[in-house]
Amino acid sequence: MGRKFNFVERGIGGTYAATAGPAEDIHEKLPLSTKMTLGVGESVQAIYTVVCGFFLNAYLLEVACLDPKYVGAIQLIQGSFDAFNDPLIGTLSDRTRTRWGRRRPWLLFASLPLGVAYFGIWNTIDASEEQRFAFYLLCYMCISIGITCVQIGALVPELTLDYDERTSLSAYRLGVGNVISFIAVMTHAQIIKQWTGEDEAVGYRLSGAIFGTCITAAGWFTFWNIEEKFDPEVEDSEGERLTCMQGLMHVFKNKSFVICVAIYLCGPTAIVMVQTNLILYCKYILDDEEFVDVLIAIVQGMALVALPLWNHVGQWYGKKSTYYIGGALLSVALCSLYFIKTKALTLVASFVIGSCLSIPYVIPYSMLPDVIEEDEIATGKRREGIYFGFFTIFLKLSVTLAMTFTNLALSASGYEAPVSSCGGAADEAELLMPDTQPDAVINVMRVMVGPVPACFFLLAMYFVYLFPITKESHTENAKNVVAERERRKTVYLEGKAADAVRSDAADGVDGDFALVPLDEDDEDNTRL
């Protein structure tokens, strides 16, 4: 615990003091309730990411019956929009000043529109293909804005400075979020199964209504049950705010941040590419579309079971070594999917993939707060919002890359809309035949779930090797951050004391002020 100080004003009326308070503890541990609450908040993004990751692409292609070119265009336009939207919202979040804090108002006001947009994207409309394209693009853009506004991750650096505690917090946050999203994706799959055939769109609509409501409720729950540690008066007491452009320049001059987002871009891109193609892989390669439910249960279930283990491995061996282990296992398992043709071997690969699934999310998320502290030391400002805004961009960019590349490749290889759900059968006999795709499309699907994602993980491991922050350097940075925050408090309280002296002088009262240390055993922080 750091030393306390009194700013003492001496005047005719007596001697008054304003206490700066104790320095922050760089080894502060968080209560379990805080970690669980952040996990509930994380489920806002996790429900969308997991359910849409597995089902949205197939839904747009085979239920909404959009051409792959249109589906790819939706992702491309959305990715371009995010390049402007996410940094702007991150900057506005950093500059928000309310009695609820900086991040919580965004949770309160963005959760309902996000839930509505999520429900909207799972609705089919009777319109031309161009009108359907515009409708789904609008829903997707609204979801993107909502996900950016609900910045759960931006709260992490404000809650603790401890290196290992941040790994634990990220593990709990993603673990609880993934439990909720696992329940969501399995429930979604069962709802769809109950509404197969011509009524399949009804099942998607029902699921959208249920989980759109859950998304809103999770955001509001987090708003009511989390408390921010941020003092706007101290933060704003010294110097001018950085402009948006200055902030962006500082962000991309931070080498550690650039490497961290490269790691984060590569890992989720690989995962999303597998998710996007998994239903099609089961339907057209394994010849059993319903087998996807088994694979999702194994992958997501193993991810939850293995998460505590990876949390301990990260604390024992460090973040970089943990990523090397998980990334290597993922690369081998994903490559094997190109050659596998049986369900039994697919199950084996799924166990390995699921057990390592949390690595590309937990490790970069636990690295980012360490990166943000370097920026605070350099600028004297706490700008978690803009950093997590850019981090959110790269999560969305991973989805954009995976789905755009997938759909353009499917279109170029000759993907054919299934006659069972999109019509176009020449006669009733063709309608009864199982849906098929040309050999070129089948080969593209194999590549999209195997070698390409594996290469992304190998690239991510290279960026992990380049990441400069270690446990030792982080400890030194944490001490510097505490010293910088204490310095800003000192400047702020000196200014308050000087204002009081000037006020006394204006009233004809003589006085002065001084900064004096307060003994640790002095229980009375006000001297009269």
Side-chain angles (χ1 to χ4, degrees):
M1 190 67 70
R3 211 174 173 195
K4 298 181 181 179
F5 292 91
N6 270 351
F7 291 93
V8 179
E9 179 196 349
R10 303 182 182 89
I12 293 175
T15 303
Y16 309 92
T19 302
E24 294 183 65
D25 183 1
I26 66 171
H27 299 297
E28 178 185 5
K29 304 301 180 182
L30 296 174
L32 180 61
S33 59
T34 297
K35 297 177 181 180
M36 299 295 285
T37 298
L38 280 185
V40 173
E42 180 65 22
S43 70
V44 173
Q45 179 171 293
I47 290 174
Y48 158 74
T49 301
V50 175
V51 176
C52 291
F54 282 115
F55 288 94
L56 183 60
N57 199 60
Y59 164 79
L60 292 175
L61 288 172
E62 306 207 336
V63 179
C65 299
L66 282 179
D67 186 277
K69 294 191 294 292
Y70 281 116
V71 179
I74 288 174
Q75 294 297 327
L76 205 55
I77 294 170
Q78 177 56 44
S80 302
F81 173 70
D82 284 337
F84 166 79
N85 158 58
D86 290 5
L88 176 62
I89 292 178
T91 301
L92 293 175
S93 174
D94 283 334
R95 297 184 177 186
T96 299
R97 301 290 186 269
T98 72
R99 62 190 178 91
W100 297 316
R102 293 191 294 175
R103 319 298 177 195
R104 292 174 65 222
W106 294 83
L107 279 167
L108 176 63
F109 295 112
S111 296
L112 180 59
L114 174 58
V116 172
Y118 180 87
F119 168 68
I121 205 168
W122 297 109
N123 281 262
T124 55
I125 59 173
D126 186 12
S128 67
E129 190 163 35
E130 290 75 15
Q131 291 173 326
R132 283 181 280 132
F133 164 74
F135 172 75
Y136 290 118
L137 176 61
L138 177 62
C139 290
Y140 210 78
M141 293 176 75
C142 290
I143 290 174
S144 177
I145 294 172
I147 291 294
T148 305
C149 290
V150 183
Q151 295 190 57
I152 300 300
L155 290 166
V156 174
E158 299 183 1
L159 295 177
T160 179
L161 291 171
D162 185 77
Y163 184 85
D164 291 328
E165 188 68 1
R166 283 178 172 173
T167 302
S168 175
L169 180 58
S170 294
Y172 270 97
R173 180 167 64 88
L174 295 175
V176 174
N178 286 340
V179 167
I180 296 174
S181 66
F182 174 72
I183 295 171
V185 74
M186 296 310 299
T187 304
H188 173 91
Q190 293 305 310
I191 291 173
I192 301 308
K193 187 179 293 185
Q194 299 302 315
W195 298 87
T196 55
E198 295 181 358
D199 295 328
E200 192 171 14
V202 177
Y204 280 103
R205 189 179 303 119
L206 177 60
S207 174
I210 292 172
F211 295 112
T213 303
C214 291
I215 284 172
T216 299
W220 285 348
F221 175 87
T222 307
F223 167 80
W224 286 112
N225 291 279
I226 205 72
E227 181 179 352
E228 295 186 41
K229 296 180 179 180
F230 180 73
D231 189 339
E233 290 185 332
V234 173
E235 177 71 13
D236 298 336
S237 63
E238 184 183 28
E240 297 181 357
R241 290 178 178 175
L242 295 174
T243 65
C244 185
M245 186 56 64
Q246 289 173 330
L248 295 181
M249 291 177 63
H250 275 288
V251 165
F252 285 102
K253 285 181 180 178
N254 190 329
K255 178 183 176 181
S256 300
F257 176 71
V258 173
I259 295 174
C260 188
V261 295
I263 298 168
Y264 193 55
L265 175 62
C266 291
T269 298
I271 296 299
V272 172
M273 192 164 288
V274 177
Q275 287 180 324
T276 297
N277 291 280
L278 192 59
I279 292 179
L280 302 179
Y281 181 86
C282 290
K283 181 176 181 179
Y284 295 112
I285 296 176
L286 299 180
D287 297 323
D288 186 356
E289 185 175 2
E290 293 188 356
F291 190 61
V292 72
D293 297 344
V294 178
L295 296 184
I296 292 174
I298 291 173
V299 170
Q300 295 297 116
M302 285 301 300
L304 296 175
V305 171
L307 185 57
L309 172 63
W310 288 118
N311 180 33
H312 288 296
V313 171
Q315 295 184 24
W316 291 333
Y317 299 107
K319 299 170 185 177
K320 297 175 73 169
S321 296
T322 302
Y323 202 103
Y324 293 148
I325 298 169
L329 290 172
L330 282 166
S331 298
V332 173
L334 288 169
C335 274
S336 70
L337 290 178
Y338 181 82
F339 305 98
I340 288 175
K341 297 181 180 180
T342 65
K343 295 180 184 178
L345 292 177
T346 304
L347 288 175
V348 174
S350 298
F351 271 104
V352 177
I353 293 170
S355 65
C356 303
L357 188 64
S358 60
I359 295 298
Y361 297 96
V362 171
I363 300 302
Y365 261 119
S366 64
M367 288 176 168
L368 185 58
D370 306 340
V371 171
I372 293 173
E373 282 163 3
E374 285 193 334
D375 176 77
E376 184 177 348
I377 294 170
T379 65
K381 298 293 181 182
R382 299 177 62 177
R383 302 185 302 133
E384 295 91 341
I386 190 170
Y387 273 95
F388 274 92
F390 272 108
F391 221 54
T392 304
I393 282 183
F394 286 97
L395 175 62
K396 295 176 182 178
L397 184 58
S398 69
V399 177
T400 298
L401 287 174
M403 293 187 69
T404 301
F405 186 54
T406 292
N407 286 292
L408 293 181
L410 289 175
S411 179
S413 59
Y415 172 85
E416 299 173 354
V419 297
S420 62
S421 56
C422 296
D427 51 41
E428 187 174 344
E430 184 179 353
L431 188 61
L432 296 175
M433 295 291 291
D435 296 323
T436 59
Q437 294 292 341
D439 290 341
V441 175
I442 298 298
N443 193 53
V444 165
M445 291 177 184
R446 288 186 180 277
V447 171
M448 292 297 103
V449 299
V452 174
C455 289
F456 273 108
F457 273 116
L458 293 175
L459 186 59
M461 292 165 66
Y462 170 71
F463 286 121
V464 169
Y465 171 76
L466 296 178
F467 189 69
I469 299 177
T470 63
K471 187 171 185 177
E472 292 73 23
S473 63
H474 165 266
T475 301
E476 186 64 28
N477 284 343
K479 292 177 181 178
N480 291 335
V481 166
V482 170
E484 171 62 19
R485 292 177 184 175
E486 288 301 301
R487 185 192 66 79
R488 293 204 300 268
K489 285 182 182 179
T490 301
V491 171
Y492 168 68
L493 291 173
E494 281 181 337
K496 294 283 285 184
D499 289 342
V501 170
R502 285 191 290 269
S503 177
D504 284 349
D507 294 337
V509 178
D510 293 329
D512 59 1
F513 72 93
L515 174 63
V516 298
L518 185 66
D519 293 336
E520 292 291 339
D521 57 354
D522 190 343
E523 296 181 357
D524 186 0
N525 291 341
T526 303
R527 299 182 180 179
L528 301 178

